[in-house]
Amino acid sequence: NGQFPTTLEGPFKPVTVPVNYSIIGQVTSLPVNDNPPLSPEIEFQPQQISLSLSSDLSSVWVSWITGEYQIGDDIEPLDPQSVASVVQYGVYKSGRNNLATGNSFIYSQQYPNEDPNNYTSGIIHRVLVTGLDPDTMYEYQCGDPSIPAMSEVHYFRTMPSPPKDYPSRVAVVGGLGLTYNTSTTISHMAANHPDLALLVGDLSFADLYCTNGTLCDFQNFSFPQSPLQETYQPRWDHWGRFMQILTATVPTMVIEGDHEIEKQADDLTFTAYNYRFAFPSDESGSPLYYSFNAGGIHFVMLGAYVPYDKSSDQYKWLERDLFNVNRSVTPWLVAAWHPPWYSTYKDHYREAECMRVEMEELLYKHGVDIVFNGHVNAYERSNRVYNYTLDPCGPVHITVGSGGNEMNLTLEHADEPGNCPDPSNTPDRFMGGSCGFNFTSGPAAGNFCWNEQPEYSAYRESSFGYGILEVKNQTHALWMWYRNQDRYSVGTDGIYIVRQPDRCPS
């Protein structure tokens, strides 16, 4: 209707919003230890309730935790079989007459023997609720009715059926943490009533804290003789309790970031991430990369911190998954992973270049429409781009990594004088590899950085916030970026992303 521009009018001249230094203050964590509402009042009452989609349109995962975590050298773990995993549910206002049961388990975060602060979780419950109708409001309670210890009544709406129907609002955010900025982001996001939420990595930032609960220097490992990094696992529990205002009502899909690695004894990684969330990973075989449908949208969630080269299991799975996408059923194809390929900020600049070299052509060939990333603590939207070249058939890359994290905003850009990083320092220490060579063509030919905002960058801004994607039909989707300093209903950057299936590969 002319209110917002469309990608058909692009590429757009690059825009940089000046930094609003009034919002650049001390990042303050929420006072989680002295807040009684964060803990359940009844023993074994469900907490940290969350919903996620399954690979089947008619099913939804319900997850929660009962009992309290334990920290110490001499821990007696809770018995997962001591509490039942039950969901009572039904169509809204028709009674909760249906029942589903699932399984339960615990996990541990183990450090070297001399460390007294090993962690064991409460009991994690996971139930698959099946036989649901599309685009229908349900009510449910979870817990163990025999104790009795049941949750309050919560509500959720199932995804609409493809191909003509879409979730009306998909919220996207990364780098949440547990700060006052996080609180503003989540309250604003919930007020916009999303049908689905995507969290693109860096969730609790538990790994920024030592095992005694104090903030650590996250750049330095705590054990000089070991590649292990301390992490305060109760941050996950505090985060899960806080996020319940969103996750108990809105199906929430996550992908791992570098702060979810949390390497521990026996070289185990991603333990909290793997156990605390339910994933539709039957096809991929891994919670670190998977796909799912939400109405007429096919989402591909990729892992940047596991092998992604052409010989890897992930790449081979991605080939199969993209080949099997039926664009007459799911016209929209959206990809998400943590570190962005197209970011102009100094922090993490071209850090994921090896991943781009391996995977970009495959995504382009199958006509991916939109890419969502986090990692960089700022916001940026690209023009349509492929291989650093403006391309009307390339995806729009959107970085939304400033949900409220513990490390403040990223302010500097790599194209500003004196900010271009040394290429040898750019590879991520977890991803490995160095693929960030000088550009061979275009405005940055012969250089590692541009000397001005690159033409592929359409809009960038250092603010806390999140985004909402509203898919309107088979060709038009409205993307809006919302800043925390504004009212929740006021979007700052808005554009219609328009598909051209007759022109572009798919």
Side-chain angles (χ1 to χ4, degrees):
N1 61 5
Q3 182 178 359
F4 300 103
T6 76
T7 52
L8 297 180
E9 303 166 41
F12 298 96
K13 183 178 179 180
V15 172
T16 298
V17 177
V19 175
N20 178 359
Y21 285 96
S22 67
I23 66 171
I24 312 298
Q26 179 71 32
V27 173
T28 306
S29 294
L30 291 170
V32 294
N33 293 324
D34 300 317
N35 196 340
L38 290 178
S39 298
E41 297 179 356
I42 302 174
E43 186 178 15
F44 295 116
Q45 186 177 20
Q47 56 171 290
Q48 305 178 52
I49 302 169
S50 65
L51 303 169
S52 59
L53 301 182
S54 79
S55 54
D56 186 342
L57 177 66
S58 63
S59 302
V60 169
W61 286 104
V62 183
S63 303
W64 68 95
I65 292 180
T66 57
E68 290 300 316
Y69 62 82
Q70 299 176 64
I71 291 181
D73 198 18
D74 186 19
I75 292 175
E76 185 175 343
L78 297 175
D79 178 8
Q81 305 306 315
S82 63
V83 184
S85 306
V86 177
V87 175
Q88 298 171 341
Y89 67 99
V91 174
Y92 178 55
K93 290 188 175 181
S94 68
R96 298 175 296 280
N97 301 317
N98 301 300
L99 184 146
T101 60
N103 55 11
S104 58
F105 37 81
I106 61 174
Y107 81 90
S108 297
Q109 188 82 12
Q110 301 289 335
Y111 298 101
N113 293 332
E114 63 269 18
D115 191 289
N117 292 315
N118 293 325
Y119 168 96
T120 296
S121 71
I123 301 171
I124 302 172
H125 303 262
R126 192 173 295 168
V127 175
L128 183 64
V129 179
T130 62
L132 304 175
D133 296 324
D135 199 18
T136 301
M137 181 71 77
Y138 284 87
E139 57 181 78
Y140 75 98
Q141 287 180 287
C142 60
D144 186 341
S146 67
I147 292 180
M150 297 295 289
S151 71
E152 296 178 349
V153 178
H154 297 284
Y155 308 89
F156 68 91
R157 180 174 292 278
T158 53
M159 292 296 104
S161 59
K164 295 182 179 180
D165 294 325
Y166 305 89
S168 60
R169 291 181 176 180
V170 180
V172 187
V173 69
L176 277 168
L178 196 57
T179 69
Y180 283 98
N181 293 311
T182 314
S183 180
T184 304
T185 298
I186 295 303
S187 62
H188 280 199
M189 185 188 296
N192 264 315
H193 303 292
D195 299 295
L196 177 67
L198 299 185
L199 308 186
V200 288
D202 289 354
L203 305 174
S204 73
F205 288 90
D207 68 332
L208 297 189
Y209 291 79
C210 298
T211 54
N212 61 7
T214 62
L215 192 64
C216 288
D217 179 0
F218 71 96
Q219 296 289 354
N220 297 317
F221 291 122
S222 300
F223 307 104
Q225 305 304 320
S226 170
L228 305 184
Q229 182 179 354
E230 287 193 54
T231 170
Y232 187 58
Q233 288 297 291
R235 295 289 297 184
W236 277 109
D237 295 286
H238 301 324
W239 186 84
R241 291 168 181 164
F242 172 80
M243 289 293 292
Q244 184 175 297
I245 187 176
L246 177 77
T247 60
T249 304
V250 179
T252 301
M253 310 304 290
V254 304
I255 196 66
E256 76 280 3
D258 54 309
H259 288 283
E260 279 70 67
I261 295 175
E262 297 184 305
K263 191 171 184 178
Q264 57 168 304
D266 299 323
D267 291 333
L268 295 177
T269 55
F270 299 109
T271 303
Y273 170 85
N274 289 339
Y275 276 88
R276 288 177 178 271
F277 302 99
F279 305 91
S281 55
D282 293 342
E283 297 295 331
S284 69
S286 172
L288 302 177
Y289 52 89
Y290 60 92
S291 65
F292 64 94
N293 292 335
I297 313 172
H298 184 73
F299 288 92
V300 176
M301 312 289 275
L302 300 180
Y305 303 102
V306 289
Y308 47 72
D309 59 272
K310 292 180 174 61
S311 63
S312 67
D313 290 341
Q314 177 175 199
Y315 191 94
K316 293 175 182 177
W317 162 80
L318 180 60
E319 282 186 309
R320 295 192 302 270
D321 186 85
L322 294 177
F323 181 80
N324 289 322
V325 174
N326 184 343
R327 300 302 280 269
S328 64
V329 177
T330 53
W332 286 87
L333 183 50
V334 176
W337 60 89
H338 185 56
W341 294 348
Y342 290 96
S343 170
T344 62
Y345 288 88
K346 179 181 178 181
D347 287 358
H348 308 302
Y349 180 69
R350 299 181 73 181
E351 190 175 87
E353 188 72 359
C354 290
M355 185 183 181
R356 186 194 69 80
V357 169
E358 291 288 338
M359 290 184 147
E360 186 176 28
E361 182 181 4
L362 180 62
L363 298 182
Y364 178 81
K365 182 174 68 174
H366 286 276
V368 169
D369 300 299
I370 308 170
V371 171
F372 289 118
N373 304 113
H375 202 40
V376 175
N377 301 334
Y379 170 71
E380 186 164 17
R381 171 177 57 83
S382 79
N383 285 305
R384 289 192 175 275
V385 60
Y386 170 62
N387 195 24
Y388 290 105
T389 302
L390 296 176
D391 188 314
C393 295
V396 174
H397 291 254
I398 300 173
T399 298
V400 195
S402 53
N405 59 77
E406 315 274 344
M407 300 187 297
N408 224 320
L409 294 169
T410 297
L411 305 179
E412 297 181 322
H413 306 106
D415 48 84
E416 294 168 342
N419 279 351
C420 186
D422 185 328
S424 64
N425 295 329
T426 56
D428 178 81
R429 61 191 175 107
F430 296 111
M431 298 176 70
S434 179
C435 303
F437 307 109
N438 285 349
F439 294 101
T440 57
S441 62
N447 298 312
F448 185 67
C449 302
W450 272 259
N451 58 10
E452 60 183 1
Q453 185 175 358
E455 59 186 359
Y456 70 73
S457 174
Y459 184 102
R460 62 189 184 186
E461 179 175 9
S462 297
S463 293
F464 292 104
Y466 67 98
I468 295 283
L469 179 70
E470 300 180 42
V471 176
K472 304 295 187 180
N473 53 43
Q474 295 186 9
T475 57
H476 286 66
L478 177 62
W479 166 256
M480 292 292 295
W481 157 248
Y482 293 88
R483 307 184 308 182
N484 283 6
Q485 64 264 38
D486 302 325
R487 290 184 295 114
Y488 76 88
S489 58
V490 177
T492 301
D493 177 41
I495 189 169
Y496 272 105
I497 300 172
V498 182
R499 298 181 60 245
Q500 299 183 78
D502 297 334
R503 177 181 183 180
C504 300
S506 64

